[in-house]
Amino acid sequence: MFDTMVITKAVASFCGALLIFMLAKWAADELYKPRNHAAAPAFVIDTGEDDLDAEPEEELSFEELFAAADPAAGSRLWSQCRACHALEAGRNGVGPYLHGVVNREIGAVDGFNYSGALDQAGDVWTPEILSAFLEAPTSVAPGTSMNYRGMASAADRANLIAYMEAESQ
C-alpha cells in the first residue's frame, strides 16, 4: 500500500502546496503594498520614553515669566478675550472693560454688574492674581459668571497680562 510512488506523490503535493502559499503571499504583498511604504511616517506620537534620561527643566516662577513677557505675543492671545471684554476705558461688554486692569481694585468698574464671586479673589488685580484667574476662573472665584475654561500656559498668561498692561498706558 505505501510504495515509493505514493510517498513521492504525498511529498510532491506538500511541496506544491507550500509553493502555492508562498507565491500567493508574495502576490498579496505586492498587490496590497502602499505606494509610499518606504517613506518616513507622517507623524510620530511622543510617548515620552526618549525624555526619561533628560534632566527635568527648571520651571520659572510667574514673576520671572512676567518680567520677560512679550506684549506682542499677548496681542494674539487677546482674541480669546475680545469676544466679551474691551480694552477701551468705560466700554463694557458681556464682561467689564479691561483697560487698566493690572493693579486695579477687583470689582471696581462702575456700571458693570458683577456676579459677587470675585470677593474671594483678593483686593487688587495683581499680575499673579490675574494669572491664577486666567488659568482657572472657577477655582479662584467659585460661582463666577465668567464662562471661560482657562489658559493652561503660564507664559501665555504672562504675555496676555503684559499686553493688557501695555495697551492700558
Side-chain angles (χ1 to χ4, degrees):
M1 173 158 172
F2 284 108
D3 58 354
T4 56
M5 189 56 136
V6 173
I7 294 173
T8 306
K9 287 180 188 178
V11 170
S13 299
F14 182 72
C15 290
L18 283 178
L19 183 63
I20 289 173
F21 284 127
M22 285 178 27
L23 289 175
K25 181 189 178 312
W26 173 76
D29 285 344
E30 289 301 315
L31 183 64
Y32 294 110
K33 187 183 294 183
R35 284 183 229 150
N36 56 354
H37 70 281
F43 61 91
V44 177
I45 298 174
D46 182 21
T47 59
E49 292 179 10
D50 296 339
D51 297 335
L52 294 177
D53 296 334
E55 292 192 24
E57 294 182 20
E58 185 177 319
E59 290 189 29
L60 298 175
S61 67
F62 181 76
E63 292 80 18
E64 294 169 333
L65 287 173
F66 187 65
D70 180 20
S75 68
R76 290 187 300 272
L77 298 166
W78 171 249
S79 64
Q80 297 177 19
C81 308
R82 184 180 338 186
C84 300
H85 298 279
L87 271 177
E88 295 85 27
R91 189 177 136 227
N92 293 326
V94 174
Y97 67 87
L98 297 179
H99 184 273
V101 70
V102 180
N103 295 321
R104 179 174 72 196
E105 287 185 36
I106 293 177
V109 173
D110 292 332
F112 187 77
N113 186 16
Y114 288 96
S115 62
L118 292 175
D119 299 337
Q120 303 168 12
D123 296 330
V124 176
W125 284 118
T126 63
E128 292 79 16
I129 292 176
L130 274 169
S131 174
F133 188 73
L134 288 173
E135 182 178 15
T138 55
S139 68
V140 173
T144 183
S145 59
M146 182 170 165
N147 188 15
Y148 180 64
R149 287 182 303 167
M151 189 178 293
S153 171
D156 286 348
R157 292 191 308 269
N159 290 336
L160 178 62
I161 294 168
Y163 172 74
M164 288 189 296
E165 185 176 41
E167 289 295 312
S168 296
Q169 296 179 12

